[in-house]
Amino acid sequence: MDVRLTSEQRQLRDAAAKLADDLGPGSVQELSDDDRVARLDKAVDGTGWRSLRADGASGVEVAIVAEEFARGLVDAAFGGPVLAGELTRHLGGDAAADTIAVAGHARDARGARRALALDGGRVLAHGLGAAVAGADLTRHTAEVTGAPEPLGTLQADAAGRWSALALVVTSADLVGVSRGAHALACDYAKVREQYGNAIGSYQAVAHLLAEGLALIEGSVSVLRHAAWAVDELGPAEAVRAARIAKLYCARAARTVCETAIQVHGGIGNTWECLAHVYLRRALASTDLFPVRLEDIHSGLS
Amino acid sequence: MDFRDSPEEAAFRARLRSWLAERAGTFPAAGDEYWARQGEWHQALYSAGFFGLSWPKEYGGHELPPVYDVILDEELALAGAPARPSLGYLVQGLGRHGSEELRRRFLPGMIDGTQRWCQGFSEPGAGSDLASLTTRATREGDQWVIHGHKIWTSYSDVADWCLLLARTDPDAPRHRGISAFIVSMHQPGIEQRPLRMINGVTREFGQVLFDGATVPADQLVGQPGEGWALAMTVVGHEREPSTLGFSARYGKLVRELTARAGERVPEELAWAEVQAEMLRLHVRRRLSEQLDGVVHGPDGSLDKLLMTWVEQSVGHAALAVGGTDDPELLGAYLYSRAQSVMGGTSQIQKNIIASRILGLGA
Ligand SMILES: Cc1cc2nc3c(=O)[nH]c(=O)nc-3n(C[C@H](O)[C@H](O)[C@H](O)COP(=O)(O)OP(=O)(O)OC[C@H]3O[C@@H](n4cnc5c(N)ncnc54)[C@H](O)[C@@H]3O)c2cc1C
């Protein structure tokens, strides 16, 4: 047993982190900087990471990129295209410019032309309609339009693994969000002074942030197992591992993001502070492929 | 001890209930529309005789026992109406620290809702550490001239008056150099910059820049240097759900969520209901205790924590019921995060409880 990342995986992580740091939104204003988003999108395109799976990458590599992108609030599509690619990979089609449709909406729809839904094993392609306002300020949701075009049917095993991968991608997103929000709060706690000291020097603040780090460490561990399990365990076990990761990472992310707001005080409750952008992304990733506690013991669905 | 209404209380409750039934659904209870029409709601409540219940008659109140406020909160929650305007802490601040002349001049308009107020305490550099505030008031002839930057000032865009803290003696020890003023918001030398909350609401609070605004000397509250005492009265009451009337808001939301949830009540919602009921009963207890006289102690910090936990568990229940798809419920959740910051953060409340009630030093 050795559950460390390989050196190639660490390189992938560093490359994804660098891209996110260089081109992700550094502030709320930058969310509406269309030039930046276009450059980011182009850079993501250039990496070929949206078709990682088709190129033979494991769930672990997908999770690595998803996590770093969420940490940097990357507002170009990634998870949607990857999951769409995973559907067409089995059917032998071309997934370029596709994303996924879940619960009647196209998700992570920036730049997408079609949205693929998995409906009881059948893969259906939908057209994209108008944008839908949602909680998430970094990823787009859109209506789906027209009669769905059937693309084929996935074997039960492949469908199960797809569900596991979907949970892993959103769990990795949650871990990245936690890390990003936590770093934002730690940075602020070091510079904001009240009563003559940095607020991070007060135990009330320091302990909140220390707890946040512990939650992140726990999240990383469950995520890593679930990401590995996508390809290495049977589908039922992979889904179970992914559900556990999703539940844990979602709770942790909400707490960590709420803490980030709290540490910022009044500013944390304003639109201009990035803390709520993280929180909103966490809520959206929790709601996408949601898992309830009572689901851990139920079978594949 | 008796949790039941007296005959007078029951009659009041019945009158209030039928008045509310007539107005059902006419006032928005959340979002920017709520803030926009809050003044109208205040005046409607007041003119029907349902606001300022425990305050002195000479300022427009009804001099009823404090528990009438809990009847008001409970009925507002039941009717799904907006909460009562939460300005009791300003009434207490001015009532306790203002001269008879200032009280007569300003309390009636504050209570009947014809004059709107905001509280100009916090500054960018002075939040938890309020005593580090740097807004200056300088005496020039028979007026004071104000320079400084306030932030998080709730309702500043609609306010006629601001209860402002400013430093009048930069050489005095920091708590003693602060004075309180009643500043007209309708004058040059005041610039308003609205702030957008994380739920998208823009009318909740703003920044207020004072650059040469003036205050007549007779609108100084108390003596120069007495501002800190007033500030402590105000923030003490700002922490009390019995003063704020927020329990109505939670009760209303829990009822709405329960109606929406249908068969499957998420655990978060059941817990929020328990919490909201705790607060309703807590307010009954606190208001009953006021029959022995209103106290201004660190107990407010306990109440503030309890209230914060209730609001935030109701927020989590809203998420559990509506997910991220319902903008109103998402907004309620996001708004709930501010409760552990406004009126003094939860960390500060715990510091106060630990040091002033438990005697744990620091
Ligand atoms: C919705 C809302 C409405 C408001 N309305 C008004 C208003 O009408 N008028 C007004 O004057 N103000 C208002 N405020 C301001 C509010 O009182 C301040 O935001 C609050 O006191 C915190 O100050 P701050 O934002 O500067 O945070 P900071 O004081 O910078 O706090 C940042 C973090 O550090 C922590 N911290 C700071 N000092 C300590 C310490 N000694 N020990 C432990 N932890 C510490 C805090 O708990 C917080 O987590 C409002 C705020 C909000 C959110």
Side-chain angles (χ1 to χ4, degrees):
Chain A
M1 188 189 318
D2 179 355
V3 305
R4 292 176 302 171
L5 299 179
T6 64
S7 65
E8 291 78 19
Q9 288 167 343
R10 275 183 275 130
Q11 281 169 14
L12 176 65
R13 182 190 60 196
D14 294 347
K18 182 167 188 324
L19 197 159
D21 289 339
D22 289 349
L23 291 170
S27 65
V28 170
Q29 291 96 295
E30 282 182 31
L31 284 171
S32 42
D33 177 348
D34 294 336
D35 285 350
R36 179 194 57 77
V37 178
R39 273 182 282 131
L40 170 68
D41 192 59
K42 198 160 163 240
V44 175
D45 241 9
T47 61
W49 290 335
R50 287 173 181 142
S51 51
L52 265 178
R53 287 294 276 177
D55 299 339
S58 73
V60 176
E61 279 97 40
V62 170
I64 284 171
V65 177
E67 178 183 331
E68 290 306 327
F69 277 11
R71 184 190 56 77
L73 291 174
V74 163
D75 44 354
F78 175 70
V82 166
L83 290 171
E86 181 74 355
L87 291 174
T88 45
R89 183 165 77 96
H90 292 286
L91 304 173
D94 170 25
D98 284 347
T99 190
I100 47 161
V102 182
H105 283 127
R107 312 287 169 160
D108 206 10
R110 204 168 219 147
R113 280 203 298 273
R114 291 191 310 181
L116 312 187
L118 182 61
D119 179 10
R122 289 188 315 147
V123 179
L124 303 172
H126 295 267
L128 259 65
V132 177
D136 194 345
L137 304 180
T138 57
R139 289 169 301 181
H140 287 182
T141 299
E143 285 170 355
V144 291
T145 53
E149 177 198 344
L151 298 184
T153 305
L154 289 195
Q155 298 296 317
D157 267 19
R161 279 193 202 288
W162 187 83
S163 299
L165 185 68
L167 290 172
V168 163
V169 168
T170 49
S171 300
D173 196 90
L174 288 161
V175 176
V177 162
S178 294
R179 288 175 52 216
H182 188 256
L184 184 77
C186 288
D187 287 349
Y188 188 72
K190 287 174 191 164
V191 298
R192 168 69 172 173
E193 292 187 4
Q194 286 289 273
Y195 303 98
N197 298 299
I199 56 170
S201 70
Y202 300 119
Q203 283 191 350
V205 172
H207 285 185
L208 285 175
L209 293 169
E211 282 174 15
L213 185 58
L215 288 171
I216 289 169
E217 287 298 319
S219 302
V220 169
S221 297
V222 285
L223 169 65
R224 200 164 286 178
H225 175 247
W228 170 83
V230 168
D231 304 294
E232 302 292 336
L233 296 182
E237 288 168 296
V239 166
R240 184 181 142 77
R243 284 180 179 158
I244 291 194
K246 181 77 188 256
L247 284 165
Y248 192 92
C249 298
R251 283 214 179 177
R254 190 173 80 185
T255 302
V256 170
C257 291
E258 289 179 350
T259 291
I261 290 178
Q262 184 65 21
V263 166
H264 280 84
I267 287 173
N269 286 280
T270 61
W271 193 267
E272 299 312 316
C273 176
L274 276 174
H276 79 109
V277 183
Y278 282 106
L279 174 61
R280 287 164 172 275
R281 184 160 175 149
L283 298 177
S285 292
T286 300
D287 263 13
L288 186 58
F289 310 110
V291 181
R292 294 170 307 161
L293 280 173
E294 53 267 37
D295 295 335
I296 333 179
H297 293 296
S298 60
L300 277 177
S301 56
Chain B
M1 186 184 307
D2 191 350
F3 275 84
R4 283 172 300 241
D5 288 346
S6 69
E8 297 77 30
E9 289 160 0
F12 174 85
R13 192 187 286 276
R15 252 193 311 124
L16 173 58
R17 189 172 289 183
S18 65
W19 184 80
L20 286 168
E22 282 165 31
R23 267 148 208 84
T26 51
F27 283 98
D32 271 342
E33 311 81 62
Y34 165 70
W35 293 113
R37 296 191 55 203
Q38 210 230 13
E40 262 178 79
W41 170 239
H42 183 161
Q43 289 178 41
L45 259 188
Y46 179 83
S47 34
F50 298 121
F51 189 65
L53 298 175
S54 62
W55 295 329
K57 281 196 172 135
E58 56 175 326
Y59 308 125
H62 295 270
E63 280 177 32
L64 289 165
V67 290
Y68 277 78
D69 274 335
V70 84
I71 299 178
L72 177 61
D73 291 347
E74 289 173 359
E75 293 302 321
L76 292 174
L78 269 177
R84 68 177 137 113
S86 46
L87 49 81
Y89 51 98
L90 294 178
V91 172
Q92 294 286 351
L94 204 55
R96 253 171 88 90
H97 300 273
S99 62
E100 181 54 32
E101 196 208 318
L102 287 182
R103 290 202 297 259
R104 277 186 204 282
R105 197 167 143 207
F106 289 106
L107 282 179
M110 188 187 270
I111 293 172
D112 68 21
T114 52
Q115 309 267 290
R116 318 271 316 263
W117 285 69
C118 65
Q119 173 193 344
F121 289 11
S122 305
E123 298 179 2
S128 297
D129 185 11
L130 183 59
S132 69
L133 62 87
T134 58
T135 292
R136 285 291 316 272
T138 329
R139 181 80 190 237
E140 285 179 17
D142 56 1
Q143 60 182 17
W144 295 83
V145 182
I146 316 285
H147 290 275
H149 182 175
K150 295 291 173 180
I151 192 167
W152 320 125
T153 320
S154 298
Y155 341 128
S156 58
D157 61 332
V158 292
D160 302 297
W161 301 100
C162 178
L163 188 61
L164 180 96
L165 292 181
R167 195 163 293 286
T168 43
D169 183 355
D171 301 323
R174 37 183 235 146
H175 295 88
R176 280 191 225 132
I178 298 170
S179 304
F181 297 91
I182 296 170
V183 182
S184 165
M185 294 295 281
H186 305 295
Q187 59 168 314
I190 296 182
E191 186 196 333
Q192 305 247 15
R193 292 190 193 153
L195 287 163
R196 192 168 176 205
M197 278 191 100
I198 61 176
N199 61 356
V201 164
T202 55
R203 309 215 34 184
E204 165 94 23
F205 56 28
Q207 308 198 55
V208 187
L209 284 82
F210 293 88
D211 188 10
T214 59
V215 198
D218 63 2
Q219 284 166 225
L220 173 85
V221 187
Q223 296 299 311
E226 287 182 1
W228 189 252
L230 171 138
M232 290 304 97
T233 299
V234 170
V235 298
H237 284 281
E238 195 185 359
R239 291 168 183 164
E240 292 173 358
S242 52
T243 309
L244 293 176
F246 282 3
S247 79
R249 205 148 53 76
Y250 311 140
K252 169 179 181 295
L253 199 51
V254 165
R255 292 173 67 84
E256 285 168 6
L257 291 173
T258 306
R260 288 263 316 249
E263 295 282 285
R264 203 191 131 254
V265 174
E267 194 182 308
E268 290 91 338
L269 177 53
W271 180 235
E273 185 173 347
V274 171
Q275 291 254 36
E277 182 66 355
M278 176 282 295
L279 194 69
R280 187 179 72 87
L281 297 170
H282 186 69
V283 171
R284 284 185 163 213
R285 176 157 80 92
R286 285 291 193 240
L287 288 174
S288 296
E289 284 167 1
Q290 288 186 10
L291 291 168
D292 297 329
V294 178
V295 286
H296 308 263
D299 280 6
S301 292
L302 292 166
D303 294 2
K304 170 81 199 302
L305 269 189
L306 292 174
M307 173 168 69
T308 299
W309 292 338
V310 177
E311 167 134 14
Q312 297 189 337
S313 62
V314 174
H316 284 152
L319 261 191
V321 171
T324 48
D325 293 332
D326 183 307
E328 203 172 308
L329 295 184
L330 178 68
Y333 161 69
L334 291 169
Y335 186 81
S336 76
R337 303 318 305 168
Q339 189 58 58
S340 49
V341 173
M342 65 173 92
T345 70
S346 289
Q347 287 69 39
I348 296 301
Q349 306 311 325
K350 292 176 195 173
N351 286 349
I352 293 170
I353 294 163
S355 69
R356 291 184 48 205
I357 301 181
L358 298 174
L360 295 173

